Amino acid sequence: TWCREICAFKIHGQEMPFEAVVLNKTSGEGRLRAKSPIDCELQKEYTFIIQAYDCGSGPSGVNWKKSHKAVVHIQVKDVNEFSPAFKESMYKATVTEGKIYDSILQVEAIDEDCSPQYSQICNYEIVTTDVPFAIDRNGNIRNTEKLNYDKQHQYEIMVTAFDCGQKHAREDVLVQVNVKPVCKPGWQDWNKRVEYKPGSGSIPLFPNIHLETCDGPVSSIHTTIELQTNYIGKGCDRETYSEKSLQKLCGASSGAIDLLPSPSATTNWTAGLLMDNNDMIFKFDGKQGAKIPDGIVPKNLTDQFTISLWMKHGPSPGLRAEKETILCNSDKTEMNRHHYALYVHNCRLVFLLRKDFDQADTFRPAEFHWKLDQICDKEWHYYVVNVEFPVVTLYMDGTTYEPYLVTNDWPIHPSHIAMQLTVGACWQGNVVGSNSQEPIQLTLAGKPRFAQYFHGSLASLTIRPGKIESQKVISCLQACKEGLDINSLESLGQGVKYHFNPSQSVLVMEGDDIENINRALRKVSYINSRQFPTAGVRRLKVASKVQCFGEDVCINIPDIDAYVMVLQANEPKITISGMDHFSRPAAQFESERGVILLPDIRIVSTVTKMEHSKKNDGANKSVVLEEMLHNLDFCDVLVSGAELDPEQECLELDHTELQGKHLDATNSTAGYSIYGVDTMHNYEQVLQQIRYRNWYTSATSERKFRIKCSELNGHYTSNEFNLEVNILHSTNSNYMEHVNHVVVQPHFLQSVHHPEESITISLLPFPLFVSVVPSVATVVIVICVSVLIFIIAVGVYRIRTAQQHSSTDSESSKENEMDWDDSALTITVNPMEKYEKPHRAEEESEEEDDEEEDTTSAESDESEEEEDEEDEEEATVQKRGKQNLTRQEQLEWDDSTLPY
């Protein structure tokens, strides 16, 4: 039994790290195991010989036997215990800008694992985000877009590596890529921002620009300069005057009717519309329409008329393209006949004109269609429809377009149904029989309503019956006041071709010589002719294409993106001044010519400017008011209080005063309105000729007016100048004419003799006319003047008395030097006791005493004898003056006791 048992296994080899142990002696099962940790990285496989030994004979185990030798081959299975590591601590590379590289550099990582699965690097990855680089599985780094030295000089990116067991590197490696500049084709030496100060005229945009071609064999260049202004106002900076003022300025025919005026008491049909007050733009959201009152537009437009408008419109909303009404004249009740209409349908502009039935019962042109991309481009455009039936012409932005389709229809049979003119929608007089394409919701059968609503913006919608507009006027009305310009066109030479678009917002230049193009581009300028331009940014874009000899395109020229910053203009302060109160006898108001209201009106505009001055090494700022000349667009002379009664009073102006000026005027019981774009001087001249007439003055004692002027349709307004006019009612023919303002004459002594009802004091450098009017202020004036005359009379008396004492012989000669011509000295004071309080007489008496004391002290250089006489005379005069003042029942001077 001992022979059949296995007692041991023996391994033959040099210090193999393995041992074999017997698990079952009977079966001979054993186990081969490692005596110490096995490291694949130290040795991947082992080969050795093993033998088995039995237990021998007998209990002592002698005479044991061994088996044959068996060869054992062991392969060590690897564990992914090591991470990849890069061979270099940092990688660097330099590239030239503007190129795409297949490989800029290669990074390399290793893994100490023993097996191919874990020791090989299967992938590389760029850790840094948002960089224009990529890396492949072999570690090659390339750029994904052309690098720009001006944008970034150097890139730093972090890269990691993964072995095939997806274990990433212990540490990411830094890769530096330096961008080397090269010669770049493009425009050089230009500024991105160009400032424009209002009133600067034409300023160059690129005064130092030149094109760098990097010695390329350039044969020609094509350059486009675009000024982008579509977000300013109605597509560009245009005049913001009212439509009436603009038409007058451009020489348009009179009679235009504004269908979208600013809401007011007389034009209230636009009050419910959405409106942008700054630019008089009305926005229609498909839910609103306006009914024009009867009588605003005549029923018969004749065979010649003009419709003009600004429109901004986009594609029609919804699945179906409905008709969108701009202007519609239809039956008010019973029927839905459209007599004439202007509408948009499927991005087509359609004008409908149904003529009335007459002897010629034939087909006539009825619908005129224009298909233009601009109708739905969401930009502002100016449309004018000139009708010379049967010919209808469309002008869009000053360019003529003939209709691509004209359809005929029968005339409309006459009826007694009234018509309704609407804007923004069409009036349906009979819903049941409606031919509207919209679904009808009949809450009340037959009830008239709006339909075919407009979606978009409208402005300056006018209709001019009986006349058509010329292309010159149309171009003026839609002209931009800003654009591109070229200084010194004659200096461009023959080698440069150029072309402007109609609005001068795009300039195209072509040439063969680079230097000629450089000089031409330096002369391109921006101009804004408005005195008060719209402030803000105007974008500039310059795109260029270069051709080389034998090639279509050889180098790429980057576009220029710049902008013009239009600065805010100084805000003017418009001031109206002049005589603000006067009185005239009733007879003058009742005369045929009436009374001029504003004979000396003055309109002045000033701006505030800061002046910088250096003094004592310091900067000082001073505010300076500088007078500014600019236009006005309307002045209103309005009645304060109750409106004028046309049965007894009116405001008048000879329309010959408007000739030769860009002005017109309207008159109503509320006042007089003068409008049109013209100078302040011309407005002054016209305002100075407005007269007020009242042929029944007995019912009126005063009238008040207020005057206000505007520039840019109310953007800048003047102060409100108030004028009070008194009508003097008199039953006494000896009452004086009243003038309560100083009439300035030349500054030299002047004696003028007037009738007894006036007083002229020749000692003053100007004549002062005084009278009494039925007001407290006038009574005060009369008393003050009376006191002044009294003081002068006393002074004259003293001088004459002194002359009598000094020499009787020289008395006559001295009297000739300082003598009153008393032939006209008559002071008449109307009894106005009811306007005075009792204590006023005492105050006035005290004022007389004070004035007399001042006069006496001023004459202190006279002799003592003269002073005694003067005191006595003053006491006598004061006593008499007080006696007269206490007689409040009649305020008048008793000059019978005054010696001369």
Side-chain angles (χ1 to χ4, degrees):
T1 60
W2 298 110
C3 296
R4 291 181 299 205
E5 293 184 348
I6 302 300
C7 286
F9 296 100
K10 184 177 181 180
I11 296 174
H12 301 277
Q14 297 180 353
E15 298 182 358
M16 290 294 169
F18 301 100
E19 63 179 359
V21 295
V22 178
L23 297 179
N24 191 323
K25 293 182 179 181
T26 303
S27 62
E29 181 182 357
R31 175 179 294 174
L32 184 65
R33 63 185 181 186
K35 296 187 294 184
S36 62
I38 304 299
D39 191 348
C40 177
E41 285 71 33
L42 296 179
Q43 190 169 345
K44 295 181 180 181
E45 59 183 21
Y46 296 88
T47 301
F48 55 88
I49 297 173
I50 188 171
Q51 284 182 312
Y53 290 82
D54 60 11
C55 295
S57 59
S60 59
V62 297
N63 299 321
W64 49 269
K65 295 181 179 180
K66 57 183 177 180
S67 68
H68 65 277
K69 294 180 179 179
V71 178
V72 179
H73 183 76
I74 297 176
Q75 288 183 338
V76 180
K77 186 177 180 181
D78 191 18
V79 176
N80 194 5
E81 57 182 321
F82 293 99
S83 298
F86 288 95
K87 290 185 175 181
E88 305 288 342
S89 61
M90 185 176 68
Y91 293 87
K92 290 184 179 181
T94 301
V95 297
T96 303
E97 66 174 348
K99 293 183 179 181
I100 296 292
Y101 290 82
D102 293 332
S103 177
I104 296 175
L105 79 162
Q106 184 181 27
V107 297
E108 187 178 0
I110 57 174
D111 194 317
E112 295 181 355
D113 289 317
C114 65
S115 65
Q117 179 182 2
Y118 298 135
S119 64
Q120 291 182 1
I121 306 300
C122 285
N123 193 23
Y124 292 91
E125 186 176 303
I126 295 177
V127 179
T128 308
T129 59
D130 297 329
V131 290
F133 298 96
I135 190 170
D136 61 16
R137 62 185 306 167
N138 296 320
N140 294 304
I141 297 177
R142 59 183 178 86
N143 57 321
T144 58
E145 63 183 51
K146 294 181 180 179
L147 305 181
N148 190 315
Y149 176 80
D150 294 332
K151 181 179 179 181
Q152 193 165 341
H153 298 350
Q154 185 185 75
Y155 293 88
E156 292 186 347
I157 57 177
M158 301 301 293
V159 177
T160 190
F162 293 88
D163 61 20
C164 295
Q166 293 304 307
K167 193 167 189 175
H168 63 79
R170 297 191 300 268
E171 295 181 356
D172 300 334
V173 70
L174 173 65
V175 179
Q176 284 186 352
V177 179
N178 296 309
V179 182
K180 183 176 66 174
V182 295
C183 177
K184 291 190 307 179
W187 297 103
Q188 307 292 330
D189 298 333
W190 54 273
N191 294 322
K192 188 176 184 66
R193 175 188 172 105
V194 180
E195 287 192 354
Y196 184 84
K197 185 178 180 182
S200 300
S202 179
I203 62 168
L205 296 173
F206 312 109
N208 302 311
I209 197 169
H210 69 276
L211 180 63
E212 177 62 64
T213 61
C214 299
D215 299 326
V218 175
S219 60
S220 66
I221 181 171
H222 179 281
T223 300
T224 302
I225 305 101
E226 181 182 3
L227 179 69
Q228 298 175 349
T229 61
N230 54 349
Y231 49 90
I232 301 293
K234 300 186 187 74
C236 67
D237 210 0
R238 292 182 169 92
E239 294 292 6
T240 56
Y241 295 115
S242 67
E243 189 64 20
K244 288 195 302 183
S245 297
L246 277 178
Q247 291 183 356
K248 186 73 176 176
L249 182 65
C250 290
S253 304
S254 59
I257 302 168
D258 192 357
L259 300 181
L260 287 177
S262 179
S264 66
T266 57
T267 58
N268 58 0
W269 64 85
T270 58
L273 301 179
L274 300 175
M275 181 176 133
D276 184 345
N277 291 321
N278 293 331
D279 296 312
M280 289 295 296
I281 294 171
F282 292 86
K283 299 179 180 179
F284 295 86
D285 56 1
K287 301 177 182 178
Q288 294 175 317
K291 293 196 292 185
I292 310 299
D294 296 340
I296 298 296
V297 178
K299 294 181 180 179
N300 183 16
L301 296 178
T302 74
D303 286 342
Q304 288 188 344
F305 60 93
T306 299
I307 299 174
S308 61
L309 70 148
W310 284 95
M311 183 176 73
K312 181 180 180 181
H313 181 264
S316 301
L319 298 177
R320 295 186 304 166
E322 307 290 352
K323 290 182 179 179
E324 299 180 58
T325 300
I326 300 170
L327 178 69
C328 180
N329 189 34
S330 59
D331 290 332
K332 184 176 290 187
T333 57
E334 300 182 26
M335 303 180 71
N336 287 331
R337 299 178 304 172
H338 296 183
H339 297 265
Y340 62 86
L342 183 66
Y343 60 90
V344 175
H345 188 210
N346 287 326
C347 290
R348 292 168 174 82
L349 187 66
V350 182
F351 176 65
L352 169 69
L353 180 60
R354 300 287 302 278
K355 301 294 289 184
D356 291 336
F357 179 85
D358 56 17
Q359 288 84 0
D361 186 10
T362 60
F363 262 9
R364 295 184 178 183
E367 285 190 359
F368 304 83
H369 299 249
W370 294 270
K371 185 178 181 181
L372 303 171
D373 294 337
Q374 293 88 337
I375 294 173
C376 288
D377 66 356
K378 297 183 180 181
E379 303 289 348
W380 280 105
H381 299 284
Y382 187 59
Y383 300 86
V384 177
V385 178
N386 265 354
V387 179
E388 277 186 296
F389 192 81
V391 178
V392 178
T393 305
L394 172 68
Y395 294 87
M396 190 196 69
D397 296 337
T399 303
T400 307
Y401 295 90
E402 298 297 332
Y404 81 95
L405 175 64
V406 177
T407 59
N408 298 332
D409 203 345
W410 293 103
I412 293 179
H413 287 271
S415 69
H416 299 290
I417 301 174
M419 291 181 288
Q420 177 64 63
L421 182 61
T422 56
V423 174
C426 198
W427 186 253
Q428 302 287 16
N430 184 357
V431 175
V432 174
S434 173
N435 57 5
S436 171
Q437 297 180 11
E438 298 178 357
I440 302 171
Q441 299 177 357
L442 290 177
T443 57
L444 179 61
K447 183 179 179 180
R449 65 176 179 88
F450 280 120
Q452 301 174 3
Y453 290 98
F454 181 75
H455 298 78
S457 299
L458 299 175
S460 304
L461 175 59
T462 64
I463 188 168
R464 181 179 285 104
K467 296 179 181 178
I468 62 171
E469 211 54 86
S470 67
Q471 187 165 4
K472 180 180 179 182
V473 171
I474 293 172
S475 298
C476 174
L477 290 172
Q478 62 90 36
C480 288
K481 295 300 179 180
E482 65 179 340
L484 300 174
D485 192 17
I486 296 180
N487 296 326
S488 304
L489 287 174
E490 62 277 0
S491 64
L492 290 182
Q494 300 295 326
V496 177
K497 299 178 182 178
Y498 66 92
H499 172 71
F500 282 104
N501 69 335
S503 62
Q504 288 195 212
S505 61
V506 177
L507 170 62
V508 178
M509 294 194 301
E510 294 181 83
D512 299 334
D513 185 75
I514 297 298
E515 191 53 41
N516 286 342
I517 292 292
N518 288 339
R519 283 196 298 266
L521 197 53
R522 292 180 196 131
K523 296 180 182 297
V524 176
S525 58
Y526 169 80
I527 187 170
N528 194 317
S529 59
R530 293 190 66 194
Q531 195 166 12
F532 303 102
T534 302
V537 171
R538 293 1 178 223
R539 296 190 185 94
L540 278 169
K541 185 174 182 179
V542 180
S544 304
K545 291 183 179 180
V546 174
Q547 289 186 340
C548 293
F549 292 101
E551 301 180 26
D552 292 336
V553 178
C554 55
I555 56 177
N556 183 33
I557 305 297
D559 293 344
I560 290 178
D561 289 314
Y563 63 93
V564 178
M565 174 58 73
V566 179
L567 304 179
Q568 183 71 48
N570 291 323
E571 183 170 345
K573 181 182 180 182
I574 307 171
T575 304
I576 303 176
S577 61
M579 177 178 61
D580 60 359
H581 179 268
F582 70 85
S583 299
R584 294 287 187 275
Q588 292 190 18
F589 292 96
E590 295 174 354
S591 65
E592 182 180 355
R593 297 290 294 174
V595 174
I596 293 178
L597 286 181
L598 305 163
D600 61 345
I601 190 171
R602 182 88 169 92
I603 305 174
V604 176
S605 182
T606 56
V607 293
T608 303
K609 293 186 176 181
M610 299 293 295
E611 285 194 350
H612 301 268
S613 60
K614 290 186 178 180
K615 188 176 181 181
N616 298 328
D617 297 333
N620 297 325
K621 296 181 179 179
S622 60
V623 178
V624 178
L625 283 179
E626 183 177 298
E627 185 171 347
M628 182 181 191
L629 297 178
H630 59 76
N631 292 328
L632 300 175
D633 59 354
F634 71 81
C635 282
D636 290 335
V637 181
L638 302 176
V639 180
S640 296
E643 293 188 356
L644 297 175
D645 184 357
E647 299 296 328
Q648 69 175 38
E649 57 185 339
C650 69
L651 291 174
E652 293 182 340
L653 174 67
D654 292 336
H655 277 261
T656 55
E657 302 294 338
L658 302 176
Q659 294 179 358
K661 303 177 178 68
H662 296 292
L663 296 177
D664 208 340
T666 58
N667 193 5
S668 69
T669 57
Y672 224 104
S673 180
I674 303 167
Y675 63 89
V677 182
D678 214 328
T679 64
M680 291 184 286
H681 176 68
N682 283 349
Y683 267 93
E684 286 179 358
Q685 287 184 328
V686 174
L687 289 171
Q688 289 170 1
Q689 301 303 319
I690 294 180
R691 305 183 307 276
Y692 171 61
R693 287 185 61 202
N694 190 322
W695 46 94
Y696 293 113
T697 57
S698 58
T700 308
S701 62
E702 67 176 14
R703 264 298 186 185
K704 294 181 179 180
F705 302 90
R706 64 183 190 274
I707 298 91
K708 197 167 188 178
C709 295
S710 156
E711 164 67 337
L712 294 180
N713 201 24
H715 188 71
Y716 303 114
T717 57
S718 69
N719 62 310
E720 189 172 274
F721 179 75
N722 295 295
L723 171 65
E724 181 179 347
V725 178
N726 291 109
I727 301 176
L728 299 180
H729 301 283
S730 174
T731 58
N732 188 346
S733 60
N734 292 328
Y735 283 170
M736 303 177 282
E737 177 186 357
H738 173 70
V739 181
N740 48 337
H741 69 285
V742 176
V743 181
V744 180
Q745 301 288 351
H747 293 273
F748 51 82
L749 296 181
Q750 181 178 2
S751 295
V752 181
H753 295 280
H754 292 273
E756 292 185 353
E757 64 265 22
S758 64
I759 299 174
T760 303
I761 304 172
S762 60
L763 295 177
L764 297 176
F766 49 85
L768 180 65
F769 302 95
V770 183
S771 73
V772 178
V773 295
S775 67
V776 176
T778 309
V779 172
V780 173
I781 294 173
V782 171
I783 294 175
C784 293
V785 174
S786 301
V787 172
L788 176 62
I789 295 172
F790 174 77
I791 295 171
I792 295 174
V794 172
V796 172
Y797 170 75
R798 292 187 319 185
I799 295 173
R800 290 169 63 91
T801 304
Q803 291 172 348
Q804 290 174 356
H805 281 277
S806 60
S807 174
T808 305
D809 297 335
S810 62
E811 182 178 356
S812 59
S813 62
K814 292 183 178 180
E815 287 176 354
N816 291 332
E817 294 176 5
M818 290 293 292
D819 193 9
W820 278 99
D821 183 359
D822 57 358
S823 61
L825 183 56
T826 301
I827 305 174
T828 304
V829 180
N830 193 30
M832 298 299 297
E833 294 84 356
K834 63 181 179 179
Y835 293 96
E836 295 293 328
K837 295 181 180 179
H839 70 276
R840 291 292 297 270
E842 297 177 2
E843 294 175 357
E844 291 161 3
S845 178
E846 293 173 2
E847 291 175 2
E848 287 183 29
D849 294 343
D850 294 339
E851 292 291 334
E852 290 167 359
E853 290 174 6
D854 294 341
T855 306
T856 304
S857 62
E859 301 289 341
S860 60
D861 57 343
E862 299 290 341
S863 63
E864 293 298 331
E865 181 180 358
E866 292 174 346
E867 290 179 0
D868 293 338
E869 293 174 359
E870 291 168 4
D871 292 338
E872 292 174 2
E873 183 60 28
E874 287 173 7
T876 302
V877 173
Q878 291 175 10
K879 182 177 180 180
R880 291 172 181 165
K882 292 179 180 179
Q883 291 173 354
N884 292 331
L885 287 171
T886 57
R887 297 167 57 193
Q888 297 187 21
E889 295 301 321
Q890 62 175 33
L891 291 173
E892 68 176 11
W893 284 95
D894 184 4
D895 57 15
S896 61
T897 59
L898 289 177
Y900 288 88

